[in-house]
């Protein structure tokens, strides 16, 4: 830790000595009344010029000034409301990439009649398309809110979730972040299955990450953003939910927020029992016999969460904050796998059933602290973050087989993970056209995992020395980046360079062997945006990225489905490296049509192998030599159909090409695949809202598995009562559902598999909001002692 501490201090000191730059646009201005005096504490709303969607809101200061910071380029307009003033709208105006714009002074006209209240109703769009990133505001969706985060991911355009594996347009190697924090060392499948969907504000799908992002993630980045308090005053909500498919599901939670003066305090807690069912049917054909396996696995997690946070504005330029998040889950379940062995003529040779009684517990604690410093009014900014995470997992599996002479087996796998990370970022414009950004990040990961394997012999549990193991893993990553941007008129150029030095080692006690994975590389990224014809423009981008093997992929522990099928890690994996290029057509600087090309070396791929003599089959991960993907995507809104109808749709078409030597043969497989999605929102009479979502994944290629087309259709309705304080949502997921069917036909592998899950599932969700939940300003009366300020409550 001495080297780590010294290096951290050196980097922070060196960063303070640099004059760096911001990449955020600012808008400033001033409000005056008809007498030429400052109009203080008025509501200043920044709206999208295209559809008047609310972007940000501020109160004018005592001198009438206001400022919006950290804005994307685009077309905006400003609306001003205030007690005693007529509403004022500015003409639409453009904000260039990272421009600091000064709006002409706004003079407000006095109303003849003072209103008691002014209410502004605004709704974020469900889908926001930005350069290299798709933002899905899932909290605006009706379907999926009663489920888990896994249910939400299935509704994100281009994402496919099968057996808890997430791919982006058929591409694996997806990195999942929660509030920007990596999750690769967590039991992410349990987290996604058990975290309530209504905790999520939005999901960012980043296809072309810049230098400021970690270089991890060759298949793109999915950043899950949790809800945060943006309301003034004291407010909160209570949510209760019920669902039923084949098993009942329950959910209850509450959050409390208090934002006043320099303080912003949040508290949330809840309980979730989001049950689920998965089935896996597998047929393995060997030369002289066939294995038919049917696996049924229910989940019954009882999950609790507790989140607390506090932000404090020291003054207008300095902010500090801390957050504490805690999750825990107990999931006792029993899965059942039946294996039937048939002759070539279809006669039954043998049959046995394995019951896996699993006692599963996991918990996590994370602490994040930050410091923000707006150094000056030019946009110079310093951000410092530090976070710590502690995860613990305890799993006991007991396998008992009837119908065949297999020993009963029990595996205990306690695991501990600790992660420490710190990051510093500086931003500062150099001049009106050029901007420079730089930062550094240090992270340290420590994992301790043990497999205590025993078999039952003569009614006693005896250690199995061939499987029992202890695997310790350490990883340190030292990273730094620089980013240079240039903007002039409609032209925009960006170049980033990130350096990462990762030093990882894994030690297996049973094998008495150490695995070292040390890699130091530069990861460049660049983009160029130019005008084309009228509102159309073009954008090209390139990035070089890495996907390191995960801890569970490297861990050589064995996990049994039944005595003849199991999974295990591969300690000899190496990182995969990917070159990605993308061309986009933009409309008013928003991408709607993309073409992309990926070239990956040593692609990490999940495979199945088998021993023909014993009939054993196992799942593991390997490196295939080369993988190429190219294709395109088209996104389109549905607002043009009719005024009550809104939503979006899209289609993605990609070609997948694997080139490698595998199982002593040339593995040359390729396939075109199509992914389509559609979400339709309809405003019905009496303020009812209807939402229908559908998705389709066409026939494709996933490693060595060729799969058929599968799809799903969901629907939901929503109604608000009591001045929008009470919201009721009813939805059905999987009204129409075609499940995953795949086939492996390569070397000695002749498999057919079907993966299915619980569908349809009915969900009901009720939310009651207390406190002021709308954008509303209430008049405060003057007293003899003081003048109270207007208070704004807004989303």
């Amino acid at each position: 830790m001495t080297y780590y501490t010294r290096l951290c201090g050196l980097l922070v000191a060196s960063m303070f000595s640099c004059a760096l730059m911001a990449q955020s646009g600012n808008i400033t201005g001033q409000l005056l009344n008809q007498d030429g005096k400052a109009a203080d504490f008025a509501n200043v709303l920044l709206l999208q010029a295209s559809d008047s969607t609310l972007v940000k809101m501020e109160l004018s200061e005592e001198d009438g000034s206001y400022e919006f910071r950290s804005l994307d380029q685009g077309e905006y307009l400003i609306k001003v409301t205030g007690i005693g003033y007529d509403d004022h709208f500015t003409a639409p105006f453009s904000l260039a990439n990272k421009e600091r714009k000064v709006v002409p002074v706004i003079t407000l006209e006095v109303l003849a009649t003072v209103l008691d209240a002014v209410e502004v109703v605004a709704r974020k769009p469900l889908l926001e398309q930005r350069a290299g990133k798709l933002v899905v505001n899932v909290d605006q969706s009706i379907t999926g809110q009663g489920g888990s985060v896994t249910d939400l991911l299935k509704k994100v355009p281009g994402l496919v979730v099968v057996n808890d594996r997430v791919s982006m347009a058929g591409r694996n190697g997806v990195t999942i972040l929660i509030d920007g924090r990596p999750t690769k060392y967590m039991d992410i499948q349990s987290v996604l299955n058990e975290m309530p969907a209504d905790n999520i504000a939005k999901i960012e799908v980043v296809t072309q990450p810049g230098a400021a992002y970690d270089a991890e993630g060759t298949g793109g980045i999915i950043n899950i953003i949790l809800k945060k308090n943006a309301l003034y005053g004291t407010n909160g909500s209570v949510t209760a939910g019920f669902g039923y498919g084949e098993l009942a599901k329950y959910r209850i939670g509450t959050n409390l927020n208090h934002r006043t003066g320099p303080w912003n305090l949040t508290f949330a807690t809840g309980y979730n029992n989001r049950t689920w069912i998965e089935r896996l049917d597998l047929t393995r054909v060997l030369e002289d016999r066939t294995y038919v396996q049917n696996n049924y696995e229910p989940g019954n997690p009882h999950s609790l969460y507790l989140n607390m946070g506090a932000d404090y504005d020291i003054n207008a330029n300095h902010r500090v904050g801390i957050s504490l998040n805690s999750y825990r889950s107990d999931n006792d379940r029993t899965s059942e796998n039946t294996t039937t062995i048939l002759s070539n003529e279809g006669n039954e040779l043998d049959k046995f059933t394995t019951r896996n009684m699993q006692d599963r517990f996991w918990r996590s604690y994370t602490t994040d602290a930050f410091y923000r410093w707006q150094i000056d009014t030019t946009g110079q900014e310093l951000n410092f973050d530090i976070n710590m995470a502690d995860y613990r997992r305890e799993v006991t599996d007991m396998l008992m087989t009837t119908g065949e002479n297999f020993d009963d087996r029990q595996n205990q796998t306690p695991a501990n993970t600790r992660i420490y990370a710190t990051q510093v970022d500086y931003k500062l414009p150099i001049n009106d056209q050029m901007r420079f950004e730089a930062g550094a990040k240090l992270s340290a990961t420590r994992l301790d995992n043990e497999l205590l394997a025993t078999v039952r012999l003569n009614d006693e549990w005896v250690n199995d020395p061939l499987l029992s193991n202890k695997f310790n893993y350490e990883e340190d990553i030292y990273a730094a980046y620089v980013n240079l941007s240039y903007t002039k008129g409609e032209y925009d150029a960006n170049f980033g360079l990130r350096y990462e030095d990762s030093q990882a080692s894994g030690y297996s006690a049973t094998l008495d062997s150490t695995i070292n994975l040390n890699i130091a590389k530069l990861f460049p990224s660049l983009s160029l945006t130019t005008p084309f014809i009228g509102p159309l423009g073009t954008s090209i981008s390139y990035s070089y990225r890495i996907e390191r093997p995960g801890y569970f992929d490297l861990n050589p522990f064995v996990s049994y489905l039944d005595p003849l099928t199991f999974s295990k890690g591969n300690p000899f994996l190496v990182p995969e490296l990917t070159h990605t290029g993308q061309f986009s057509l933009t409309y008013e600087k928003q991408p709607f049509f993309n073409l992309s090309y990926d070239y990956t070396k040593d692609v990490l791929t999940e495979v199945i192998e088998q021993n023909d003599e014993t009939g054993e089959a196992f799942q593991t991960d390997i490196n295939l030599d080369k993988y190429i993907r190219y294709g395109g995507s088209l996104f389109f809104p549905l607002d043009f159909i009719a005024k009550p109808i809104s939503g979006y749709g899209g289609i993605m078409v990609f070609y997948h090409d694997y080139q490698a030597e595998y199982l002593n043969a040339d593995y040359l497989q390729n396939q075109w695949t199509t992914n389509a999605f559609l979400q339709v929102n309809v405003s019905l009479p009496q303020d009812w809202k209807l939402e229908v979502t559908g998705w389709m994944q066409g026939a494709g290629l996933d490693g060595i598995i060729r799969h058929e087309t599968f799809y799903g259709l969901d629907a939901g309705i929503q109604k608000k009562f009591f001045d929008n304080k009470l919201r009721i949502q009813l939805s059905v997921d999987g009204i129409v559902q075609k499940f995953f069917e795949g086939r492996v036909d390569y070397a000695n592998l002749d498999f057919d598999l079907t993966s299915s899950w619980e569908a349809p599932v009915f969900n009901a969700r009720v939310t009651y909001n207390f406190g002021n939940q709308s954008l509303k300003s209430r008049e405060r009366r003057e007293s003899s002692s003081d003048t109270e300020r207007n208070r704004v409550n807004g989303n």
Side-chain angles (χ1 to χ4, degrees), residues 67-230:
E67 181 175 10
F68 297 100
R69 298 178 178 177
S70 302
L71 300 173
D72 294 331
Q73 64 181 12
E75 300 290 324
Y76 299 101
L77 62 88
I78 288 177
K79 178 179 181 179
V80 182
T81 67
I83 303 302
Y85 295 112
D86 196 3
D87 291 354
H88 181 94
F89 291 86
T90 68
F93 57 87
S94 299
L95 180 67
N97 193 15
K98 322 313 185 239
E99 175 186 2
R100 180 172 175 81
K101 188 176 188 66
V102 179
V103 177
V105 172
I106 296 174
T107 301
L108 302 178
E109 297 183 1
V110 177
L111 278 175
T113 303
V114 176
L115 300 178
D116 289 335
V118 177
E119 183 173 0
V120 180
V121 178
R123 178 181 174 87
K124 293 181 294 183
L126 180 68
L127 187 68
E128 297 180 72
Q129 300 177 46
R130 303 177 185 176
K133 179 168 63 176
L134 181 70
V135 180
V136 185
N137 296 302
V138 292
D139 62 338
Q140 303 295 307
S141 175
I142 300 174
T143 60
Q145 286 294 304
S148 65
V149 178
T150 298
D151 299 318
L152 278 185
L153 291 176
K154 293 177 181 178
K155 304 177 186 302
V156 174
L159 297 187
V160 177
V161 184
V162 177
N163 282 337
D164 299 322
R165 294 176 60 234
V166 181
S167 62
M168 187 182 299
R171 177 71 169 95
N172 294 318
V174 176
T175 292
I176 297 177
L177 309 177
I178 297 180
D179 277 345
R181 297 189 303 269
T183 63
K184 65 179 293 185
Y185 299 114
M186 300 172 61
D187 186 355
I188 187 60
Q189 293 182 357
S190 296
V191 173
L192 298 181
N193 277 333
E194 299 170 24
M195 181 182 290
D198 53 22
N199 280 0
I200 311 304
K202 59 185 177 182
I203 297 175
E204 298 177 341
V205 181
V206 186
T207 55
Q208 286 291 99
Y213 285 93
D214 290 346
E216 186 88 17
T218 57
I221 293 175
I222 301 171
N223 190 17
I224 300 170
I225 308 296
L226 303 179
K227 290 181 178 178
K228 298 179 179 63
N229 177 41

Side-chain angles (χ1 to χ4, degrees), residues 275-336:
T275 58
W276 46 264
I277 289 176
E278 290 185 354
R279 294 179 174 89
L280 177 65
D281 299 323
L282 180 64
T283 300
R284 301 189 286 123
V285 180
L286 281 69
E287 185 176 350
D288 59 344
R289 61 198 184 280
T290 297
Y291 291 84
V292 179
Q293 297 176 244
N294 305 107
N295 184 70
Y296 170 86
E297 182 177 352
N300 186 30
H302 297 269
S303 306
L304 297 170
Y305 68 89
L306 175 63
N307 303 328
M308 298 180 290
D311 295 353
Y312 180 76
D313 292 327
I314 300 173
N315 54 41
N317 297 327
H318 298 270
R319 173 179 292 179
V320 295
I322 188 171
S323 64
L324 305 171
N325 300 306
S326 173
Y327 293 89
R328 66 162 293 155
S329 172
D330 292 282
N331 189 351
D332 297 337
R333 60 182 188 250
T334 300
S335 60
E336 187 170 284

Side-chain angles (χ1 to χ4, degrees), residues 741-767:
E741 295 181 4
R743 176 164 177 76
V744 179
D745 186 6
Y746 178 76
N748 69 327
L749 305 175
D750 186 354
F751 293 178
D752 288 299
L753 60 94
T754 300
S755 175
S756 59
W757 48 89
E758 195 177 9
V761 175
F762 168 80
N763 293 293
R765 179 170 174 264
V766 179
T767 301

Side-chain angles (χ1 to χ4, degrees), residues 113 139 258 293 372 402 410 428 498 552 588 617 651 744:
T113 303
D139 62 338
H258 180 71
Q293 297 176 244
R372 305 282 184 267
T402 57
Q410 179 173 276
L428 182 68
R498 186 178 185 90
F552 294 103
E588 294 183 346
I651 186 170
V744 179

